[in-house]
Amino acid sequence: MNKKTIFLNELKRFFKFILQEMKPKGKLLTPFNIISIPIMILGFILIILRFVKGLGYATNLSQEFPWGFWIGFDVVTGVAFAGGAYVITFVVYVMKVEKYHPIVKVTVLNGLLAYMFYAGALVLDLGKPWNIFNPIIGNSFGYNSVLFLVAWHFLLYMATEFLEFSPTIAQWLGWKKLQKILKSLTVGAVIFGITLSMLHQSGLGSLFLMAKSKIHPLWYSEFIPVLFFVSSIFAGLSMVIFEGTISHKVFKDKIDAKHHKAFDEMMIGLARGAAITMFVYYFFKALLFIHEGQWSYLMDSWGILYLIEVIGLVLIPCFMFAYGAKNRSLGIIRTAAILTMIGIILNRLNISIITFNWNIPAVYYPSWMEIVITMMIIFTEIWVFRWIVRRMPVFED
Amino acid sequence: MESYSYVNIFETKGLEYILLICFLLLLIFFVRYIFSSKKKPDESLK
């Protein structure tokens, strides 16, 4: 056979395989599907309406509040939760802690999808979405803007995460030679990815540095970039614990017995990591609070909100992680992970929405369309994640 | 004759230093606490 025939045969096999894989696997009428499908259809229609009729139709954004729920929740919070990918790849490929190897692929997949969907949601929030290419094509680079850094980092990090996950895709397609080549690139991609992550996690915090007069002093600090970076570590770890627990139950048929046994140990190890980083983060917050002499701000409702966030959703889950890790209690660890995730959501929303413009009478609430579109994005990501996990060897070594 | 003047801990930023020292000491105990976890059930049977 000549090369052309081999190539055509391979192409035929590839399309046949893809068509076969497109067929649904698993039950169609599940509670999750029944809830998610109508929301996804409605969200899709609303996205079309948003692009046809403009931002004013779908959102409650205004001159006072140019950034709303899509930026505050989808982009700023979603990217923090995607931090698990760079933490786990660092631990496995750089620190060589093989214990966490079974969850590397699924964590990278989660990170990749989170960036694709949540960072991709940035397009929804742009008045002129076609301008998103400007920092890339050089129409208006804007070197001095933090958004320039964030735009490039998101793009490069998505490509890097795809490269990290690509050996699994090659394995799924049965392309062994390519899989070998892609696998050899993993360590380089991981190191590049960690560098990018550290910079754009803090870069997202840097976006708020110019809003000193608008953000409440309890949340504003020159160290927001550092706080964003440190909090992304335990946000990512909490997400890995939360997502890992769900995946462990939903995809138990895909996980082999060896990994089932190692799962508890991995969760305890992740809880230790989360506890230590939260302890460090809490002292950063305490140090900044004392340094700025912010005692007087604690006397009103903003102060109560701050204490709920810092003590109720950072310090308490930190001790819960520590207690859970010491006593090997997965229930406490899972509860701590959920509390931490709520804390991260509250922190990011406090900075980007809730305390933003705290000193003016105007108030921003997301419209129902903003919420439905956000839910649509989350559900679509879960659908894509489920589709990939059911087909590709994500839980295999 | 000059009178004694006590150092104001709030003006000297001494509070931050104290907090930092406390943090570093507490971190040691915290890490030791976390890693002093109970043995796995199957290990304790051995």
Side-chain angles (χ1 to χ4, degrees):
Chain A
M1 275 199 294
N2 62 7
K3 276 185 180 175
K4 199 181 167 187
T5 324
I6 294 169
F7 176 74
L8 284 174
N9 281 344
E10 182 57 30
L11 204 67
K12 219 187 241 178
R13 188 197 70 84
F14 172 76
F15 282 115
K16 210 175 167 185
F17 176 72
I18 294 292
L19 277 175
Q20 200 182 342
E21 290 288 78
M22 283 297 172
K23 285 176 190 164
K25 288 184 181 178
K27 283 186 210 164
L28 198 66
L29 285 175
T30 60
F32 173 75
N33 288 1
I34 292 166
I35 296 167
S36 63
I37 291 170
I39 293 172
M40 283 162 69
I41 294 168
L42 180 62
F44 183 72
I45 296 164
L46 291 175
I47 285 181
I48 294 170
L49 286 173
R50 175 261 169 267
F51 283 115
V52 173
K53 297 196 173 187
L55 273 174
Y57 175 79
T59 69
N60 280 344
L61 297 177
S62 60
Q63 288 299 326
E64 284 83 21
F65 293 95
W67 285 0
F69 196 61
W70 289 338
I71 294 286
F73 185 79
D74 299 13
V75 181
V76 180
T77 313
V79 168
F81 286 139
Y86 81 87
V87 178
I88 298 295
T89 50
F90 172 75
V91 169
V92 173
Y93 292 111
V94 181
M95 303 295 285
K96 296 281 176 194
V97 185
E98 288 296 319
K99 188 170 93 175
Y100 301 104
H101 210 279
I103 56 167
V104 165
K105 284 196 269 187
V106 71
T107 312
V108 169
L109 174 64
N110 246 319
L112 173 65
L113 294 179
Y115 273 86
M116 281 169 71
F117 283 90
Y118 305 138
L122 197 67
V123 183
L124 296 174
D125 220 37
L126 297 177
K128 295 174 182 174
W130 52 90
N131 281 349
I132 198 159
F133 297 107
N134 282 355
I136 314 297
I137 60 172
N139 186 20
S140 175
F141 271 136
Y143 300 113
N144 296 330
S145 166
V146 180
L147 268 177
F148 173 73
L149 176 141
V150 172
W152 265 97
H153 275 223
F154 277 6
L155 182 82
L156 291 174
Y157 191 62
M158 274 191 260
T160 311
E161 291 244 280
F162 184 75
L163 191 63
E164 285 174 30
F165 189 69
S166 58
T168 313
I169 301 172
Q171 192 184 345
W172 171 61
L173 294 169
W175 295 341
K176 286 184 181 172
K177 262 188 187 173
L178 185 67
Q179 186 194 353
K180 216 173 174 184
I181 296 165
L182 291 168
K183 226 172 183 180
S184 67
L185 300 172
T186 305
V187 178
V190 163
I191 294 167
F192 188 51
I194 295 163
T195 316
L196 289 170
S197 279
M198 286 172 72
L199 288 167
H200 70 244
Q201 290 286 357
S202 54
L204 279 176
S206 309
L207 290 174
F208 297 95
L209 285 178
M210 62 181 176
K212 187 174 182 176
S213 60
K214 293 184 177 179
I215 299 172
H216 191 282
L218 281 172
W219 282 272
Y220 182 83
S221 159
E222 286 81 5
F223 293 94
I224 286 183
V226 180
L227 294 173
F228 264 52
F229 166 63
V230 177
S231 59
S232 77
I233 298 173
F234 61 79
L237 290 174
S238 301
M239 188 63 180
V240 173
I241 294 171
F242 177 73
E243 179 276 323
T245 307
I246 295 171
S247 293
H248 200 68
K249 283 182 183 158
V250 176
F251 304 111
K252 58 184 170 200
D253 53 317
K254 296 265 167 200
I255 304 167
D256 56 48
K258 196 178 90 184
H259 293 166
H260 267 296
K261 277 184 186 169
F263 180 75
D264 292 0
E265 274 307 303
M266 280 190 276
M267 293 300 115
I268 290 165
L270 296 176
R272 284 185 184 130
I276 293 168
T277 40
M278 287 174 92
F279 195 75
V280 173
Y281 176 80
Y282 178 78
F283 271 90
F284 273 158
K285 291 287 270 188
L287 197 63
L288 287 168
F289 179 84
I290 290 169
H291 183 73
E292 300 291 337
Q294 293 170 329
W295 300 98
S296 59
Y297 291 116
L298 291 182
M299 302 305 163
D300 56 11
S301 52
W302 295 115
I304 294 165
L305 186 64
Y306 178 78
L307 291 176
I308 290 171
E309 183 197 307
V310 174
I311 294 176
L313 298 167
V314 176
L315 195 62
I316 290 174
C318 167
F319 288 134
M320 283 173 73
F321 272 131
Y323 183 83
K326 184 181 164 63
N327 294 291
R328 313 182 66 79
S329 167
L330 288 183
I332 293 174
I333 290 171
R334 282 172 197 144
T335 314
I338 292 167
L339 284 177
T340 306
M341 287 167 68
I342 296 168
I344 288 291
I345 294 169
L346 188 64
N347 172 260
R348 298 302 197 259
L349 291 184
N350 275 336
I351 292 169
S352 59
I353 298 173
I354 301 169
T355 77
F356 200 85
N357 279 333
W358 64 289
N359 44 8
I360 64 165
V363 183
Y364 163 82
Y365 294 104
S367 71
W368 69 270
M369 286 185 261
E370 284 176 84
I371 295 168
V372 170
I373 289 175
T374 298
M375 285 171 76
M376 177 249 183
I377 291 165
I378 295 169
F379 284 139
T380 314
E381 194 228 339
I382 297 170
W383 270 73
V384 174
F385 176 79
R386 193 174 60 175
W387 189 90
I388 294 172
V389 168
R390 283 203 175 139
R391 284 155 184 85
M392 296 185 197
V394 177
F395 287 110
E396 286 172 26
D397 253 342
Chain B
M1 192 180 149
E2 278 183 33
S3 59
Y4 281 112
S5 62
Y6 292 100
V7 174
N8 185 339
I9 203 163
F10 295 98
E11 279 176 9
T12 59
K13 303 289 177 195
L15 211 54
E16 283 97 317
Y17 284 109
I18 290 170
L19 187 73
L20 203 68
I21 293 162
C22 289
F23 161 67
L24 290 170
L25 288 173
L26 282 171
L27 186 65
I28 296 167
F29 290 110
F30 189 69
V31 172
R32 284 181 67 175
Y33 172 79
I34 291 172
F35 283 91
S36 66
S37 64
K38 287 174 186 171
K39 281 182 183 174
K40 277 193 251 179
D42 56 343
E43 277 181 359
S44 59
L45 291 172
K46 283 176 190 173

